[in-house]
Amino acid sequence: MRTLASVQTVNAVEPIPNADAIEKVRVLGWWVVSKKGEHKPGDKLVYCEIDSLLPERPEFEFLRASSFKPARDDVPAGFRIKTVKLRGQVSQGICFPLSLLPPGTPTDKGTDVTDLLGVRKWEPPLPVGMGGRVKGGFPGFLPKTDETRVQVLEPVLERNRGKTFYVTEKLDGTSFTAFYRDGTFGVCSRNLWMDETDETNLLVRVARKLKLKEKLPEVSRRRGVDLAVQAELIGPGVQKNKYELKEPTLRVFSVLNVGTYKFLDHATSLAVIEELSLGAVPQLGTLVLNHTVDELVALAEGMSVLNPKAQREGIVLRPFEEEYDADIGGRLSFKAINPKFLLKYDE
Ligand code: ATP
Ligand code: MN
Ligand code: MN
């Protein structure tokens, strides 16, 4: 589970031009706007990341006017923390004094207090067309498609300085996985294994239209390994169709050897994507890592390759061959989100 609320220290405090009452505070790799004088470098505090859903408790009531989200079937009511802009400064997350924690709580830097505070992850409502019969949870023999935010990866950037990464555009659709394993074909959403015969589900319809049930076994056999593809589904009915597409479209970002639980290298992945008659996510080139968090966030800014009128969501960086990273607790791969995208679309 993602750490949403944790004990952190203030790395720096800087003024905001033309603002008397507020200043910006650096926590991990994030900038957070706060009241002037509230924090000094070295102070400990409780930091809650964007997409935190804070519970309805008296200490969070001041957020009601700006951030209240009513309960849904799948999430309780609460206060949703999102990216905002104050006096021209992007602010991501929220800080509280340590006194927010029950007495006796450990306050070592990095202590995860997400559960203790009852903080949940805010998820957007399930889009239409994403229902349908479910076979089960996301299969354990495949990795989930999450990416870590660069803002929590300062040590990882430091350690991988000089390494070459390929950069892709992060598309804002919905996660799609199709796999072939020991003779079985399957289709999954981000969290569920769907019934691949129930075409009320959009992912299943797209898989059918693209003939993946035939092509995935065919290419797997030819290459002598069971394959899975992970893609972003974009188009009409998905995330407001930002790319203004006429039809549901898959853009692949990962190709896996299911048997070894490993990603194929970048070049082989692109070849397999072509053999499946699919398209990859936009390839933005390569980068030799020598960047700070802020520099990578600046690189994330820009318009989408798929629609020059739409802010792109961000970029994803990966090495050409899969690598394990201990800080990430999985493969080395991370995202930098375009702040302009968050300000525009993140409701
Ligand atoms: P959600 O939109 O469901 O909340 P998210 O986009 O916030 O998810 P993250 O973990 O932040 O999820 O990012 C990973 C997701 O980004 C993947 O699940 C995948 O669906 C999507 N994605 C889009 N484009 C890419 C890309 N180029 N590389 C990797 N993942 C991508
Ligand atoms: Mn996310
Ligand atoms: Mn997404």
Side-chain angles (χ1 to χ4, degrees):
M1 275 293 38
R2 173 165 153 202
T3 298
L4 289 161
S6 59
V7 176
Q8 298 297 343
T9 47
V10 174
N11 297 332
V13 179
E14 288 182 15
I16 298 169
N18 305 318
D20 305 328
I22 54 175
E23 58 196 356
K24 58 178 181 176
V25 172
R26 182 77 161 181
V27 181
L28 292 164
W30 304 96
W31 286 108
V32 189
V33 172
S34 73
K35 226 187 278 161
K36 201 172 235 170
E38 212 157 59
H39 306 288
K40 310 189 292 307
D43 280 359
K44 278 189 178 169
L45 43 65
V46 174
Y47 172 71
C48 300
E49 247 184 49
I50 50 172
D51 288 341
S52 293
L53 185 72
L54 307 185
E56 282 186 284
R57 289 205 197 144
E59 54 272 39
F60 302 131
E61 276 301 322
F62 69 97
L63 292 164
R64 186 167 294 274
S66 61
S67 320
F68 181 69
K69 292 279 177 188
R72 299 196 315 247
D73 288 347
D74 50 340
V75 276
F79 305 110
R80 189 254 168 126
I81 304 304
K82 65 177 196 172
T83 303
V84 292
K85 203 171 191 177
L86 297 159
R87 293 292 181 106
Q89 171 63 46
V90 171
S91 178
Q92 298 190 288
I94 188 164
C95 300
F96 296 98
L98 286 184
S99 59
L100 183 71
L101 301 172
T105 309
T107 56
D108 303 310
K109 182 174 151 80
T111 301
D112 186 341
V113 293
T114 308
D115 287 342
L116 184 76
L117 292 175
V119 175
R120 309 269 298 244
K121 171 151 190 280
W122 189 86
E123 301 274 5
L126 198 66
V128 279
M130 292 306 286
R133 276 194 308 274
V134 167
K135 275 201 162 165
F138 194 85
F141 52 82
L142 294 172
K144 283 207 175 190
T145 57
D146 310 288
E147 295 294 331
T148 307
R149 286 161 198 270
V150 69
Q151 282 88 350
V152 301
L153 295 180
E154 255 158 3
V156 176
L157 296 187
E158 200 51 53
R159 203 150 12 78
N160 287 285
R161 204 165 282 276
K163 186 169 289 167
T164 305
F165 288 75
Y166 70 90
V167 183
T168 59
E169 176 176 336
K170 186 172 193 289
L171 298 173
D172 183 33
T174 191
S175 174
F176 170 101
T177 298
F179 67 85
Y180 180 69
R181 179 177 183 258
D182 297 338
T184 301
F185 171 78
V187 173
C188 309
S189 66
R190 184 183 183 134
N191 293 313
L192 297 170
W193 181 347
M194 305 306 296
D195 180 337
E196 77 286 350
T197 63
D198 180 4
E199 294 201 31
T200 57
N201 180 271
L202 179 62
L203 303 178
V204 171
R205 277 205 300 285
V206 171
R208 178 69 58 97
K209 200 178 95 200
L210 296 170
K211 298 199 163 47
L212 289 180
K213 192 173 182 170
E214 293 76 41
K215 286 189 177 161
L216 206 51
E218 197 180 291
V219 177
S220 291
R221 248 175 255 123
R222 200 182 317 135
R223 289 190 167 260
V225 289
D226 281 354
L227 294 169
V229 288
Q230 300 192 305
E232 195 75 351
L233 172 64
I234 51 178
V238 184
Q239 304 286 54
K240 303 201 179 120
N241 195 12
K242 298 184 175 70
Y243 310 104
E244 301 182 36
L245 302 176
K246 295 258 157 41
E247 285 181 49
T249 306
L250 285 186
R251 292 293 200 130
V252 178
F253 50 79
S254 299
V255 182
L256 277 120
N257 177 337
V258 180
T260 60
Y261 199 81
K262 285 219 155 179
F263 287 84
L264 305 194
D265 66 69
H266 184 243
T268 313
S269 297
L270 291 179
V272 168
I273 291 166
E274 219 173 281
E275 288 166 32
L276 292 166
S277 314
L278 297 174
V281 289
Q283 307 286 309
L284 303 180
T286 64
L287 167 154
V288 179
L289 189 64
N290 184 23
H291 301 64
T292 62
V293 169
D294 286 354
E295 284 165 351
L296 288 173
V297 171
L299 277 181
E301 284 190 18
M303 307 310 280
S304 172
V305 169
L306 301 187
N307 179 3
K309 293 193 298 245
Q311 291 286 340
R312 69 170 168 235
E313 184 181 5
I315 54 176
V316 174
L317 276 74
R318 295 179 173 181
F320 283 81
E321 292 207 27
E322 186 185 311
E323 268 180 54
Y324 178 81
D325 183 275
D327 280 295
I328 295 176
R331 82 204 136 78
L332 179 59
S333 178
F334 53 87
K335 62 180 174 182
I337 301 295
N338 172 6
K340 291 197 172 128
F341 173 94
L342 291 177
L343 290 166
K344 175 142 193 229
Y345 296 114
D346 217 22
E347 279 149 21

